[in-house]
Amino acid sequence: MEAEVIKAELVLPTHMSFKRIQMYGKYPKGQSKVRWKQLKQILQAEICQNYSPDEPNYVNIESPPSMQPCKRICDITGFEAPYHDPRTNLRYANADVFKLVRSLPNEYVQRYLALRKAAVVLR
Amino acid sequence: MPFISKIQRQTDYNRFPPSTPIVIDNGASYFRIGWAGETEPRVIFRNIVQRPRHKSTGETVTIVGDHDPALLKYFDCTRSGPRSAFDSNVVFQFEIMEYVLDFAFDRLGANGSRIDHPILITECVCNPVHSRSKMAELLFETYGVRSVAFGVDAVFSYKYNQLHGICEKDGLAICPGFTTTHVIPFVDGEPVYKGCCRTNIGGYHITDYLKQLLSLKYPHHMARFTWEKVEDLKMEHCYIAPDYALEAQLFQKGGKEAEYKTRCWQLPWVPLPTDEPPSEAEIAQKAAIRERQGQRLREMAEAKRSSRINELENQLQGLEFLLQQLGQVQEEDIQSFLSETGYASKQEIELTLTKVTQSLRKAKGEPKPEQAENEEKADSCTSDKYPLINVPDNMLTPEQLKEKKRQIFLKITTEGRQRAKQKRVEEELERERKTQQDEERRLENPQLYLEQMHTKYKELYEKVEQRKRLKTNGGHTNGSSSGGVGRGERLNAAQRERMRLLTTAAFDRGKGEDTFGAKDEDWQLYKLMGKDNDDDDDGADEDEAELARVSSRLQEIDPTFVPKPEPTASQPATTEVPHVRPLTKEDFQIVLGVERFRCPEILFHPNLVGIDQMGLDEMTGVSIRRLPSKDKALANRLTSSVFMTGGCSLFPGINERLEAGIRMLQPCGSPIKVVRALDPVLDAWRGASLYAANSRFHQQTFSRSDYYEKGEDWLRQYQVRYTL
């Protein structure tokens, strides 16, 4: 370990005096790949508990979809976009932007669509 | 402003008695820890952990928070991205949480065998019981903490500001955070979680959106747009427009106001040393050098030519002398004489003689008709060299047969050559005639002729360009969602025809046996395919040749005609950097125009990024609706004290926008007042600190025994009472 790294105390020391069980004891190297429950699983477990629906829980308090009509803005420039390109599925504002849209390679098209979560996901 | 990092190790840990609570604000962006009763947290750092490997020793170390990037060069950081214990404001990775807590307690100066203080730690609204219990377990088991309390950070912030008179007892707390945004109504000083509303949009999404937009707009500078830099940009330059549509129109028109609002970031750039345009003297020098080189080449060519002429003349003389000698020599001695010289017969000598004279004439550069005459003469004198052709086969010996075959072959080739020459001459005459006709037409009606030429040119140009476009556009077509269509678009008509023929040939045979090729007609298939392909190419060439001729003609006769650029060169790919011109200063400028207000807009319209939930203004309406008591007076009281806290509330213009939004939703005339926290970032911790310093705080905590005896259900119901 280089001197300046030690001096800067960059690295977390492995032994802490105030801990009852140290990290290397809890998670021995190379053995326990602890699988933590992902948020989805946690929430599913909660739902299954059959609590009263009146009580607020994590899923309950989520906001519903928007009541306002969807705002359509151009994917590339950000202006208002009344038009939509059927081939690439992008929204565009005027003819100049359309030229740009048609000349984009597929990779960029998919990335623009991914901003809106409208990309084609192949998995 | 961004990335405050206070990680100095504190030395006064032992000054605090075991009853002093430690206050932790465990946020998705920052982790703040300090002592209860103080106004500033002692230790602040970003809530991320990296586990790189040390380059020389190879061990995996843990680094918590942001650190000096210069020091990180000793570590191999390729496989260790920064990781967070959070998944959208809920803690789920407790190993990382443990690293973070380790680091935090260490920097707070903790020593001794356990953390002997009560801990107040923040969590998200309606934290799932699994997360809560694991956190409690971590604190009790590993750190030996005696008592723990959980609270919501936004509520603490609200209470703190209520104390300072910023907001009322009843009000709405709006907290746009790092990963989520909450709206929590307060009635009588206590939060009503039933009316709470949460949207999964936060500062993280705004930064990510801005990062993606900039990367797509400036793909060459993508390496510059690191997360930290983009967050910097966001905090410095982004604002919320009072009305998105109007603002966008302003920028679209591109007037002075839009320019005033556009910010430009100049990346460091070193101009390439430009070559100065060569001066007059240099140009003249270069021309002189070229002239000299040309001269030298010409002289060399001349010398070669004259030496060759000399050679040929010598040869000619020698042959003539030989002939003379031959004439003088007597009949019997001819054979022996000839064998000495190396020629088989007199005719051969004469033949070589004529050849040499021809070459000489060519070398001297005499005009062609003479040569044509010569050729004809040569032909005629060789025509009597085919005496054997007309003699029928059965009268000849095998040697003579061979001779006859050779003569037939020679005759056919010479005749073919003659015919070709004749055709060429005829074509020349034809072309001459056509150009004369053209000229006549032009002279009699110049205007009409010109128009005709122009239209012809345009048509040809269109045809050629279209063909070129068809050929290359297959590669550029943007793939549509249906993959099958894409393949079809890429092939042009001829290729598709070929595919069709091949596939039908394969299928027509019937399953199980492949009898393609048994019959001869099957192979005609390839003839068809081959023809299709050739036609296409030939047609293209013809058209192009025609186009070239027409354009040159137009150039001659029409002074105003400007030929359109070559079809091959006029396909600019707009996404490529034109390598021809040198990179200028402008190429290294990042312009933030519309992005400045487009990115924070997603707080109000999450469907801009595809998240199908409500924005801030609508959430307030939903929150008020969800309250159990439908009281109009209460609603008025709530809207008259709308309190904004959280890191994202620092965008300029958010207050006015929110006010306008709420006004749209609420009945006309309701009092609306939007206020911002004194310090949206640190107020949560301050509120918690104040709360923990209260003497009655310890009644709100729960201890280890509580946790183990009362079970999960009790833990779920556990809520602190915020008004002490």
Side-chain angles (χ1 to χ4, degrees):
Chain A
M1 210 58 82
E2 287 79 359
E4 55 179 357
V5 170
I6 299 178
K7 201 159 80 112
E9 287 186 339
L10 196 69
V11 172
L12 198 68
T14 39
H15 180 90
M16 299 280 183
S17 63
F18 46 81
K19 284 178 82 169
R20 283 208 197 140
I21 318 168
Q22 300 298 325
M23 284 302 262
Y24 49 78
K26 222 194 243 191
Y27 306 107
K29 235 199 255 186
Q31 268 181 10
S32 69
K33 277 278 180 180
V34 189
R35 290 264 161 252
W36 298 106
K37 267 192 174 178
Q38 300 291 327
L39 181 64
K40 266 197 229 170
Q41 294 166 319
I42 299 176
L43 294 178
Q44 287 219 330
E46 275 235 340
I47 292 171
C48 287
Q49 290 285 340
N50 289 339
Y51 299 135
S52 128
D54 274 348
E55 276 178 54
N57 57 35
Y58 192 79
V59 182
N60 243 342
I61 61 177
E62 200 148 321
S63 65
S66 170
M67 289 291 157
Q68 289 178 358
C70 174
K71 203 187 210 51
R72 294 193 171 81
I73 61 168
C74 172
D75 285 312
I76 300 177
T77 54
F79 305 138
E80 206 204 310
Y83 316 111
H84 165 258
D85 176 13
R87 204 197 283 180
T88 54
N89 214 18
L90 288 173
R91 297 190 183 135
Y92 61 94
N94 55 31
D96 294 322
V97 184
F98 181 65
K99 261 191 235 160
L100 195 71
V101 161
R102 276 294 164 91
S103 71
L104 283 177
N106 192 27
E107 190 206 342
Y108 287 95
V109 168
Q110 293 302 315
R111 280 171 68 186
Y112 272 117
L113 289 175
L115 287 182
R116 267 197 291 140
K117 296 216 170 69
V120 180
V121 175
L122 303 165
R123 237 207 290 165
Chain B
M1 227 293 348
F3 305 121
I4 340 145
S5 187
K6 270 172 37 171
I7 47 175
Q8 192 77 343
R9 182 170 281 118
Q10 309 295 313
T11 45
D12 54 357
Y13 183 81
N14 295 319
R15 258 200 319 123
F16 291 92
S19 58
T20 325
I22 296 180
V23 175
I24 298 179
D25 177 9
N26 189 15
S29 52
Y30 283 89
F31 187 96
R32 302 178 190 100
I33 186 172
W35 297 102
E38 301 191 351
T39 47
E40 295 286 332
R42 293 294 184 99
V43 182
I44 306 177
F45 54 90
R46 264 219 304 163
N47 209 339
I48 51 170
V49 165
Q50 273 172 307
R51 305 207 73 213
R53 284 165 41 110
H54 193 248
K55 275 191 195 156
S56 21
T57 58
E59 56 175 309
T60 313
V61 296
T62 320
I63 299 181
V64 177
D66 276 331
H67 282 275
D68 188 6
L71 288 175
L72 287 174
K73 65 175 190 270
Y74 293 113
F75 299 94
D76 167 28
C77 295
T78 48
R79 296 184 72 211
S80 72
R83 294 164 61 195
S84 166
F86 285 86
D87 178 357
S88 154
N89 88 349
V90 173
V91 183
F92 79 108
Q93 282 238 358
F94 286 93
E95 185 182 342
I96 297 182
M97 197 68 230
E98 200 175 326
Y99 285 128
V100 169
L101 283 171
D102 269 354
F103 182 77
F105 286 135
D106 183 42
R107 289 305 157 104
L108 197 60
N111 44 29
S113 62
R114 61 197 295 184
I115 306 285
D116 210 4
H117 303 257
I119 291 197
L120 171 60
I121 191 164
T122 57
E123 56 169 16
C124 62
V125 177
C126 297
N127 200 9
V129 70
H130 174 268
S131 168
R132 212 184 235 185
S133 72
K134 276 259 168 7
M135 181 69 96
E137 189 182 312
L138 181 70
L139 287 171
F140 288 135
E141 292 302 311
T142 317
Y143 294 102
V145 177
R146 293 205 199 270
S147 55
V148 168
F150 288 109
V152 175
D153 44 1
V155 178
F156 286 132
S157 179
Y158 190 89
K159 299 304 285 182
Y160 181 74
N161 281 275
Q162 189 187 336
L163 239 64
H164 287 255
I166 308 281
C167 45
E168 310 295 322
K169 212 156 47 105
D170 304 324
L172 277 173
I174 301 186
C175 178
F178 188 62
T179 42
T180 52
T181 305
H182 290 273
V183 173
I184 309 172
F186 281 77
V187 175
D188 263 342
E190 289 294 314
V192 180
Y193 290 126
K194 258 201 171 156
C196 184
C197 188
R198 179 190 81 241
T199 297
N200 298 329
I201 278 270
Y204 166 81
H205 300 99
I206 301 179
T207 312
D208 196 45
Y209 194 45
L210 182 60
K211 182 162 177 269
Q212 300 281 2
L213 280 177
L214 286 178
S215 303
L216 281 168
K217 199 165 153 193
Y218 300 99
H220 301 283
H221 301 300
M222 224 185 325
R224 285 261 175 193
F225 300 128
T226 61
W227 175 268
E228 286 79 18
K229 184 68 197 174
V230 175
E231 193 140 336
D232 249 345
L233 286 173
K234 173 189 88 167
M235 291 201 225
E236 210 179 309
H237 299 288
C238 285
Y239 67 97
I240 292 194
D243 184 353
Y244 184 83
L246 281 179
E247 201 85 3
Q249 270 181 17
L250 191 72
F251 272 81
Q252 207 169 4
K253 276 199 293 245
K256 239 212 169 94
E257 279 191 40
E259 265 193 54
Y260 179 69
K261 289 192 179 172
T262 312
R263 301 269 170 94
C264 185
W265 171 28
Q266 173 74 46
L267 293 172
W269 163 79
V270 173
L272 294 167
T274 53
D275 308 321
E276 285 174 20
S279 58
E280 289 271 337
E282 285 186 23
I283 296 177
Q285 237 182 9
K286 282 205 192 118
I289 292 174
R290 244 179 282 144
E291 186 60 41
R292 252 180 276 139
Q293 280 176 341
Q295 189 76 9
R296 221 180 302 147
L297 282 170
R298 256 173 285 160
E299 278 169 16
M300 281 199 316
E302 264 303 316
K304 228 196 286 184
R305 201 166 73 101
S306 48
S307 70
R308 187 165 151 72
I309 290 177
N310 279 347
E311 246 181 60
L312 287 172
E313 277 180 1
N314 285 345
Q315 213 181 0
L316 193 67
Q317 276 181 351
L319 282 172
E320 280 175 2
F321 182 64
L322 205 61
L323 271 176
Q324 264 184 329
Q325 276 195 326
L326 198 62
Q328 291 170 0
V329 163
Q330 310 218 330
E331 284 296 322
E332 327 60 78
D333 294 335
I334 283 181
Q335 283 299 328
S336 53
F337 184 72
L338 281 175
S339 58
E340 280 176 35
T341 55
Y343 289 99
S345 68
K346 185 169 182 220
Q347 281 147 335
E348 214 180 301
I349 300 180
E350 282 175 1
L351 198 58
T352 359
L353 189 72
T354 41
K355 265 201 219 148
V356 169
T357 31
Q358 260 182 37
S359 328
L360 195 58
R361 284 226 183 84
K362 223 196 293 189
K364 285 199 184 149
E366 287 183 356
K368 250 191 151 188
E370 284 206 24
Q371 214 181 15
E373 279 180 31
N374 258 352
E375 276 187 25
E376 283 179 22
K377 256 197 264 169
D379 283 341
S380 57
C381 70
T382 48
S383 63
D384 36 293
K385 278 201 89 188
Y386 306 141
L388 295 174
I389 287 184
N390 298 322
V391 177
D393 279 342
N394 46 14
M395 297 191 18
L396 296 170
T397 62
E399 254 184 40
Q400 282 178 324
L401 270 169
K402 260 194 271 177
E403 188 65 32
K404 178 178 174 186
K405 272 208 197 93
R406 198 170 62 87
Q407 283 172 5
I408 293 176
F409 175 69
L410 278 173
K411 180 160 178 220
I412 291 177
T413 45
T414 44
E415 277 180 11
R417 242 184 286 141
Q418 270 178 329
R419 250 178 287 141
K421 215 172 0 112
Q422 197 125 37
K423 228 203 303 190
R424 248 183 286 139
V425 166
E426 276 173 26
E427 270 182 14
E428 277 285 331
L429 289 172
E430 185 68 35
R431 226 176 292 164
E432 281 290 324
R433 215 163 23 89
K434 251 204 246 174
T435 42
Q436 278 198 347
Q437 272 185 350
D438 239 4
E439 276 297 313
E440 283 169 22
R441 250 195 307 151
R442 183 170 84 89
L443 289 170
E444 64 185 34
N445 192 354
Q447 199 58 26
L448 185 65
Y449 181 71
L450 201 61
E451 277 175 20
Q452 282 178 346
M453 290 296 274
H454 270 290
T455 43
K456 216 188 326 174
Y457 178 74
K458 239 181 270 181
E459 278 171 34
L460 280 170
Y461 184 74
E462 282 297 321
K463 236 201 284 181
V464 172
E465 229 195 287
Q466 204 189 33
R467 199 174 304 229
K468 280 241 159 33
R469 235 184 294 137
L470 271 178
K471 274 206 187 139
T472 56
N473 219 12
H476 283 297
T477 319
N478 297 316
S480 46
S481 330
S482 51
V485 182
R487 178 106 184 103
E489 276 172 14
R490 250 183 275 155
L491 308 168
N492 62 13
Q495 285 170 318
R496 254 182 280 160
E497 186 63 28
R498 270 178 73 212
M499 293 292 284
R500 196 187 62 82
L501 284 170
L502 279 173
T503 45
T504 48
F507 281 135
D508 279 353
R509 298 294 139 212
K511 293 188 190 162
E513 19 166 319
D514 185 13
T515 56
F516 182 82
K519 297 182 269 191
D520 269 338
E521 300 89 70
D522 298 339
W523 300 108
Q524 309 296 337
L525 185 69
Y526 283 95
K527 250 203 231 167
L528 281 172
M529 294 198 312
K531 241 196 285 180
D532 288 339
N533 235 356
D534 288 338
D535 274 347
D536 194 29
D537 290 341
D538 283 346
D541 291 335
E542 271 177 27
D543 274 340
E544 280 180 11
E546 184 72 29
L547 182 66
R549 261 193 331 106
V550 170
S551 68
S552 60
R553 192 96 186 85
L554 272 173
Q555 263 179 325
E556 283 170 33
I557 56 181
D558 185 10
T560 62
F561 174 72
V562 175
K564 290 197 206 141
E566 281 285 314
T568 42
S570 69
Q571 291 273 2
T574 41
T575 47
E576 286 178 10
V577 171
H579 291 290
V580 187
R581 66 168 174 83
L583 296 172
T584 64
K585 190 167 172 209
E586 275 74 37
D587 285 331
F588 283 80
Q589 283 175 349
I590 311 272
V591 176
L592 294 171
V594 184
E595 292 85 14
R596 282 185 71 200
F597 59 92
R598 181 177 173 187
C599 295
E601 187 66 23
I602 65 175
L603 283 176
F604 290 90
H605 287 101
N607 43 34
L608 288 180
V609 274
I611 294 179
D612 201 9
Q613 289 186 307
M614 292 187 158
L616 276 184
D617 37 10
E618 286 181 287
M619 276 202 310
T620 53
V622 164
S623 178
I624 294 175
R625 261 210 318 268
R626 278 187 183 168
L627 279 177
S629 57
K630 310 281 181 219
D631 186 6
K632 186 133 182 290
L634 178 64
N636 279 349
R637 282 208 302 277
L638 287 176
T639 53
S640 60
S641 161
V642 176
F643 171 73
M644 300 218 60
T645 180
C648 275
S649 63
L650 286 170
F651 282 118
I654 197 171
N655 283 11
E656 292 82 23
R657 179 66 184 272
L658 194 62
E659 191 171 326
I662 298 178
R663 184 153 292 139
M664 276 203 286
L665 296 169
Q666 291 299 100
C668 180
S670 5
I672 302 179
K673 190 166 106 149
V674 178
V675 290
R676 187 191 282 169
L678 293 166
D679 182 352
V681 177
L682 283 179
D683 267 355
W685 189 88
R686 291 202 185 110
S689 164
L690 214 62
Y691 182 81
N694 197 310
S695 54
R696 286 192 283 260
F697 169 66
H698 65 271
Q699 292 166 355
Q700 305 294 326
T701 62
F702 62 96
S703 69
R704 187 155 172 244
S705 45
D706 283 335
Y707 171 61
Y708 282 115
E709 285 161 22
K710 297 186 187 167
E712 219 176 67
D713 226 16
W714 174 85
L715 193 64
R716 202 170 52 79
Q717 309 273 0
Y718 163 81
Q719 294 288 349
V720 292
R721 213 186 111 77
Y722 291 93
T723 27
L724 291 171

